[in-house]
Amino acid sequence: CKENCTGNINLIKDVQHFTEHIKISELPQEVESALSFPVYKPRNIVDDDPQERVSAEAAILNSRVHYYGRLTGSSDRLLSPPNHVIPGPEEIYVYSPLGTAFKVSGTDHTSRNPSIITIFAIWNTMMGTSILSIPWGIKQAGFTLGILILIFTGLLMLYCCYIVLKSRKAIPYVDTSDWEFPDVCRYYFGKFGQWSSLFFSMVSLIGAMVVYWVLMSNFLFNTGQFIYSKSTFSSHGNDTDVNSFEHWWSKTNTVPLYLIILLLPLLCFRSASFFARFTFLGTISVVYLITLVTIKAVHLGFHLEFHWFDTTQFYVPEFRLFFPQLTGVLTLAFFIHNCIITLMKSNRHQENNVRDLSVAYLLVGLTYLYVGVLIFAAFPSPPLFKDCIEPNFLDNFPSSDVMVFVARTFLLFQMITVYPLLGYLVRVQMMGQIFGSHYPSFFHVLSLNILIVGAGVLMAKFYPNIGSIIRFSGATCGLALVFVFPALVHMISLKRQGMLRWPSALFHSFLIVLGMANLLAQFFM
């Protein structure tokens, strides 16, 4: 209602109904200024009785806010009301010139998550296929060096994620409440920042989808092998049946093609909301993997010998020159930088964001350490060589292992539900930027999905090494979204505030060099 309106109770009810479905902070300033500004607690909060009045204190505060509003135009936020004048979300009211106050309901304060939910949401989001390659990465770097690199990389990735998280708030005089990190890159670097951040985001998403296709082919193949071996054992199958089965059930020649029949139609769904309901499978899969690793380690025992620089018959040295392969894997394993702002927006206590992010990274790092160290230590050497640890550690177990069969089945169903979600994210970001619509036409969507699926099928057929795929995609997207853009944004922000000092400039320039070295090293391993 306007300041000078003579409205009636019906208009007031309309305003109440309107504010139940929006947040005052989301209104354009022109609309916001048309409403009496939110004020502190009046003496009487009413439902339908127009005779109840707000306090004189509330009217004074309202006048004060309007005074600030008259100091500046609608497009200039410099002289907008300071935070101490504006009441908290739980004390927001809208009142009419009759003096009747209505409490604004439906603010996002009550719908936000407590810290524990936010922490495990980050943990669950970060826990992906990379966990299967951590033991292989530790083997490539050497046991001791691998542990040190995992801890160091985790801390480095946490710091860069912290820069991304606070990057919006360092921008003055602009409402950045709805911004994501690509918007920040556009603010600092223009169209180049916008499109390059989109490109590297696509690298991470499509890289993950290729890894998923390789793993789904692997899991589906081994699941079929397990079922067939059990059925032939009970029915005493002959060699002809076995040869025929192996011809039509090939890990690289046929199974990757069978997945097209199931997954290509799912990718063409207009909405991915149905698949989002099954994200809990990811948590179940990771918990089951941790349980599996624990049981296998107890059963096999530890097999460790420390040879610092020389390879022996069964053991690898503690320090190896292949360590960049682990840093590439870890860059993707700890990567959440392109969606951390979105995840943290739902945190109920925004002042705890840094603490909650740190705790989440600690849990992720401990999970990776636990799985990586136990699998490496329990790998039976002798009689096997430590160098035989596969990029997917489940491949070191036979298809006939019941516990591993259950793990593969869990992961297969989880990936079948997550794969369309990743495809939806690729479509939304790419189609939205290029065509201005998330679903320009069925032909556009189908063409994009065929390209993505084709990349997965080709990799599953000719190069089904998930460790190498993960390290290349991780190092590529990490170069821009983890090291270069966050470091540059941080230095430019400090420089504009006159606070950039040479130790900070040197350290953040070193981060950029590390990102470049991490990517270049992948081509020489």
Side-chain angles (χ1 to χ4, degrees), residues 191-338:
K191 287 291 184 181
F192 171 79
Q194 177 185 1
W195 288 102
S196 56
S197 62
L198 174 66
F199 170 77
F200 287 106
S201 181
M202 292 298 100
V203 169
S204 65
L205 289 172
I206 295 177
M209 294 183 75
V210 170
V211 172
Y212 269 45
W213 200 277
V214 175
L215 285 174
M216 286 186 292
S217 302
N218 182 310
F219 296 150
L220 182 59
F221 171 77
N222 284 286
T223 301
Q225 286 278 84
F226 178 86
I227 296 173
Y228 180 77
S229 63
K230 295 299 182 182
S231 62
T232 54
F233 177 78
S234 58
S235 60
H236 306 287
N238 54 47
D239 293 338
T240 304
D241 293 335
V242 173
N243 292 334
S244 178
F245 174 78
E246 291 178 350
H247 175 74
W248 292 104
W249 197 255
S250 170
K251 188 175 183 179
T252 57
N253 292 329
T254 58
V255 173
L257 298 174
Y258 296 155
L259 287 170
I260 299 177
I261 302 173
L262 172 63
L263 292 174
L264 185 57
L266 297 181
L267 283 176
C268 296
F269 279 23
R270 185 176 292 271
S271 172
S273 58
F274 171 77
F275 304 103
R277 302 173 186 175
F278 298 95
T279 52
F280 69 92
L281 290 174
T283 303
I284 296 176
S285 300
V286 173
V287 171
Y288 184 81
L289 271 180
I290 295 173
T291 305
L292 171 67
V293 167
T294 304
I295 294 174
K296 293 296 182 182
V298 171
H299 175 71
L300 296 171
F302 285 174
H303 303 266
L304 287 173
E305 286 185 12
F306 295 93
H307 303 274
W308 297 106
F309 300 103
D310 299 321
T311 302
T312 63
Q313 182 179 3
F314 297 105
Y315 294 92
V316 297
E318 300 302 300
F319 298 88
R320 303 183 76 184
L321 294 177
F322 297 110
F323 69 88
Q325 296 186 350
L326 176 60
T327 61
V329 170
L330 291 175
T331 305
L332 193 63
F334 285 109
F335 181 71
I336 198 173
H337 300 61
N338 60 344

Side-chain angles (χ1 to χ4, degrees), residues 67 152 167 216 338 396 514 521:
Y67 171 75
F152 174 75
S167 60
M216 286 186 292
N338 60 344
N396 287 114
L514 275 183

